[in-house]
Amino acid sequence: MDHSISSRSLSRSPSPSISPFNSKRMILNPVFHKFNFDSRNFEIKPLVSRQNRPVVVAVRSSNQKVHNDGFVLEDVPHLTNFLPDLPSYPNPLKKSQAYAVVKQTFVSPEDAVAQNIVIQKDSPRGVHFRRAGPREKVYFKSDEVRACIVTCGGLCPGINTVIREIVCGLSYMYGVDEILGIEGGYRGFYSKNTLTLSPKVVNDIHKRGGTILRTSRGGHDTNKIVDNIEDRGINQVYIIGGDGTQKGAALIYKEVEKRGLQVAVAGIPKTIDNDIAVIDKSFGFDTAVEEAQRAINAAHVEVESVENGVGIVKLMGRYSGFISMYATLASRDVDCCLIPESPFYLEGPGGLFEFIERQLKENGHMVIVVAEGAGQEFVAQSMPAVDEKDASGNRLLLDIGLWLTQKIKDHFTKVQKMTINMKYIDPTYMIRAIPSNGSDNIYCTLLAHSAVHGAMAGFTGFTVGPVNSRHAYIPIARVTETQKTVKLTDRMWARLLASTNQPSFLNCSEVLHHQEKAGRKTTEVINSERTTST
């Protein structure tokens, strides 16, 4: 549902005087003028963003009284913030044959997307973001654009599709000819050669997994990167990567702003775990859930073919169990799902061992899905502590799958004296390496085009993503300040518990306490890792 309101459909009296605001979060002040909209009384609220451009929002009044309804716009930087004399040009899409039949080619400057779509009658309207899409004015001449694309971090289905659609979007929609691919992640800016990209070069790369530009972790040196951007004459930078990568993108933007360069920095958030805050979901997630079904189905076939078969499938999810939760709900062959957000215990009443025993007696087999970050505190107690991190600063996890497999086998063979047939499947790298499915391909196209439209319109230091199914421009800090996790008190987790009939392992008060404690701990760990990475 789109909460944007276009000024084009509003008939209003002359615009009131406008006062500038300087904060990143802008709360609309009381209304000044009235207009009629569908025979209902509305009022107009003037807002000036950090670009000193008016943002006009229609708000219904109550009995013709003026109210502050708590509308907040989280704006993104613009090149004119530090280059006020930058000229603008008509958008080439005006002459595009593809957009000739579109009813409204350009997004109105007043369009905003609501972060919270469900609100109460008297509650504030809350936080909004600029709606993504083409603008009537651009701040780059097409023949002067020299763009570059870089991919960082781990692999994820859809990276090649994003690369392809950035290249094709720049070329076909805006007539840009010079597009470079930075090879090997951030360090590729100053240590590797570049790859010249064109629609012909990227024509079929969406059919392949991985990234044609290659990737790496770490290697971020802001000054060297911006030096290289400046030396090569690059003026648009598209950065595809996770939260650590996006934080690096924010540093690049800050340095560009400090040097006063006309360089637009656009981020496309990437994580297969779907743990990026604010946006609805990350690209590659649908493909990961779909591919996880193959591993779950294989485990189910194996365990139902033997006596007392117990299958364990380990899926991705360092801090967030979204893939495991959605794969479990989609499969219907899973008896128990273990995720980082939900603690569990093995022995005693209500424990995992008791549940496994009951399932084996009733059905003769069982399938367990476990996220890689689940139960790390248990594994650490029985294995030597490993305080190592990868090049991105992420803590290396212990293998919960192998640990759980051995624990179950030992308990039932030695304690319960039962014959157990254990099957362990870890499809992690198989899932990461496949091409994206149809749903993700479409999603990647929308992300890429939103980034291209934003950069051409002069926005910078932003990331793109769907908020309540409408694509928006989001300040990078908003998607890196915290990490999205499964809420044990939400209905989706309740649906999973009802589907699997597994024990929750905690009562309601314990869930709330653990969720709060885990949230603080996760934030501390993530911030520590980001600091190390940056």
Side-chain angles (χ1 to χ4, degrees):
M1 180 178 180
D2 190 4
H3 281 243
S4 59
I5 301 177
S6 174
S7 63
R8 298 184 180 186
S9 62
L10 309 178
S11 175
R12 61 178 186 257
S13 56
S15 299
S17 59
I18 298 174
S19 301
F21 293 83
N22 295 319
S23 61
K24 292 181 181 177
R25 286 195 175 196
M26 291 165 287
I27 303 179
L28 291 187
N29 286 332
V31 178
F32 297 103
H33 283 248
K34 300 177 183 177
F35 59 90
N36 187 274
F37 181 72
D38 288 344
S39 73
R40 295 173 293 176
N41 286 327
F42 278 74
E43 298 172 340
I44 208 165
K45 289 191 170 188
L47 168 68
V48 178
S49 71
R50 291 190 294 176
Q51 292 81 36
N52 293 325
R53 294 184 179 81
V55 176
V56 185
V57 182
V59 184
R60 186 174 182 178
S61 65
S62 175
N63 298 324
Q64 299 185 1
K65 292 182 179 179
V66 176
H67 294 284
N68 182 347
D69 68 350
F71 181 100
V72 180
L73 178 67
E74 294 243 3
D75 210 357
V76 294
H78 194 273
L79 291 173
T80 54
N81 287 11
F82 55 92
L83 297 171
D85 298 325
L86 197 64
S88 62
Y89 312 95
N91 195 318
L93 286 178
K94 284 185 175 180
K95 301 178 181 179
S96 170
Q97 183 178 355
Y99 279 79
V101 296
V102 177
K103 186 176 181 181
Q104 185 175 342
T105 303
F106 302 113
V107 171
S108 169
E110 293 85 21
D111 284 358
V113 179
Q115 181 174 14
N116 295 321
I117 196 170
V118 179
I119 59 174
Q120 304 303 313
K121 180 179 179 181
D122 298 322
S123 63
R125 289 182 64 190
V127 173
H128 294 68
F129 303 99
R130 283 193 180 273
R131 185 180 176 188
R135 264 52 179 180
E136 196 165 2
K137 296 290 185 180
V138 296
Y139 286 80
F140 293 93
K141 289 183 176 179
S142 298
D143 57 359
E144 294 178 358
V145 172
R146 187 175 176 84
C148 75
I149 307 170
V150 64
T151 57
C152 307
L155 294 182
C156 173
I159 298 177
N160 276 335
T161 306
V162 175
I163 295 171
R164 182 189 190 278
E165 297 310 320
I166 291 175
V167 173
C168 292
L170 284 168
S171 179
Y172 295 147
M173 292 191 294
Y174 289 98
V176 174
D177 294 325
E178 290 195 77
I179 309 169
L180 302 175
I182 306 299
E183 296 182 297
Y186 273 138
R187 59 172 51 90
F189 276 101
Y190 50 86
S191 64
K192 298 287 183 181
N193 293 325
T194 57
L195 177 66
T196 300
L197 300 176
S198 66
K200 184 176 181 180
V201 172
V202 301
N203 181 55
D204 63 348
I205 64 172
H206 62 291
K207 299 175 183 178
R208 296 180 243 161
T211 165
I212 63 164
L213 300 179
R214 300 200 309 274
T215 185
S216 67
R217 297 185 182 275
H220 186 278
D221 187 317
T222 306
N223 287 323
K224 285 185 178 181
I225 291 171
V226 178
D227 286 345
N228 188 270
I229 290 172
E230 197 170 1
D231 292 342
R232 290 179 181 270
I234 293 169
N235 51 21
Q236 289 186 9
V237 183
Y238 297 92
I239 300 173
I240 306 168
D243 54 359
T245 301
Q246 297 304 312
K247 192 151 189 171
L251 294 175
I252 293 172
Y253 152 68
K254 286 294 184 184
E255 182 63 23
V256 164
E257 180 185 40
K258 180 181 175 182
R259 301 187 189 188
L261 305 177
Q262 186 187 348
V263 178
V265 180
I268 296 92
K270 170 200 68 66
T271 171
I272 201 169
D273 292 346
N274 193 37
D275 56 4
I276 293 179
V278 181
I279 66 174
D280 297 344
K281 66 178 178 180
S282 51
F283 75 82
F285 176 71
D286 281 352
T287 305
V289 171
E290 183 179 301
E291 188 67 15
Q293 304 304 298
R294 300 177 185 273
I296 293 172
N297 182 60
H300 184 250
V301 169
E302 286 284 347
V303 298
E304 71 175 355
S305 301
V306 295
E307 180 184 3
N308 291 334
V310 177
I312 294 179
V313 179
K314 187 181 78 170
L315 299 176
M316 293 79 73
R318 177 177 293 275
Y319 300 114
S320 305
F322 286 105
I323 291 180
S324 296
M325 179 173 70
Y326 278 82
T328 294
L329 283 168
S331 170
R332 305 293 177 177
D333 285 331
V334 179
D335 300 288
C336 185
C337 176
L338 304 175
I339 60 175
E341 296 89 336
S342 179
F344 64 92
Y345 56 93
L346 301 179
E347 300 175 345
L352 183 60
F353 288 158
E354 181 183 81
F355 180 63
I356 293 174
E357 185 176 357
R358 185 167 73 246
Q359 288 296 109
L360 292 178
K361 288 180 179 179
E362 291 178 2
N363 302 322
H365 62 271
M366 181 176 183
V367 175
I368 300 171
V369 166
V370 57
E372 61 181 334
Q376 288 296 305
E377 65 276 14
F378 293 136
V379 189
Q381 292 173 6
S382 56
M383 290 186 179
V386 179
D387 190 20
E388 296 181 9
K389 297 180 180 180
D390 61 22
S392 294
N394 298 315
R395 178 170 54 91
L396 296 178
L397 300 176
L398 300 169
D399 195 330
I400 178 65
L402 288 174
W403 177 87
L404 190 59
T405 299
Q406 192 61 47
K407 282 291 181 181
I408 294 173
K409 185 183 296 184
D410 290 345
H411 174 80
F412 284 95
T413 57
K414 297 177 182 178
V415 179
Q416 297 297 103
K417 307 299 183 183
M418 289 176 59
T419 301
I420 293 289
N421 283 292
M422 295 296 305
K423 309 294 180 182
Y424 175 48
I425 298 176
D426 180 357
T428 302
Y429 291 106
M430 295 176 65
I431 293 175
R432 284 168 30 131
I434 64 172
S436 52
N437 63 12
S439 173
D440 270 321
N441 273 337
I442 296 171
Y443 178 29
C444 289
T445 300
L446 295 176
L447 285 173
H449 287 188
S450 293
V452 168
H453 291 317
M456 290 297 297
F459 294 113
T460 183
F462 69 92
T463 190
V464 297
V467 179
N468 291 321
S469 300
R470 293 290 181 179
H471 283 249
Y473 297 134
I474 307 165
I476 292 178
R478 283 303 310 275
V479 299
T480 59
E481 65 187 1
T482 186
Q483 198 156 26
K484 184 169 65 175
T485 57
V486 174
K487 298 295 186 293
L488 303 183
T489 52
D490 281 0
R491 290 190 181 91
M492 191 58 75
W493 184 245
R495 293 183 184 107
L496 181 140
L497 295 179
S499 172
T500 61
N501 201 31
Q502 71 184 67
S504 66
F505 301 107
L506 293 172
N507 61 37
C508 184
S509 61
E510 289 175 322
V511 166
L512 292 172
H513 173 73
H514 173 76
Q515 193 97 41
E516 182 181 357
K517 181 180 178 182
R520 289 196 304 267
K521 182 178 179 182
T522 300
T523 301
E524 291 170 1
V525 171
I526 294 169
N527 288 338
S528 172
E529 292 178 357
R530 287 184 187 148
T531 301
T532 303
S533 176
T534 304

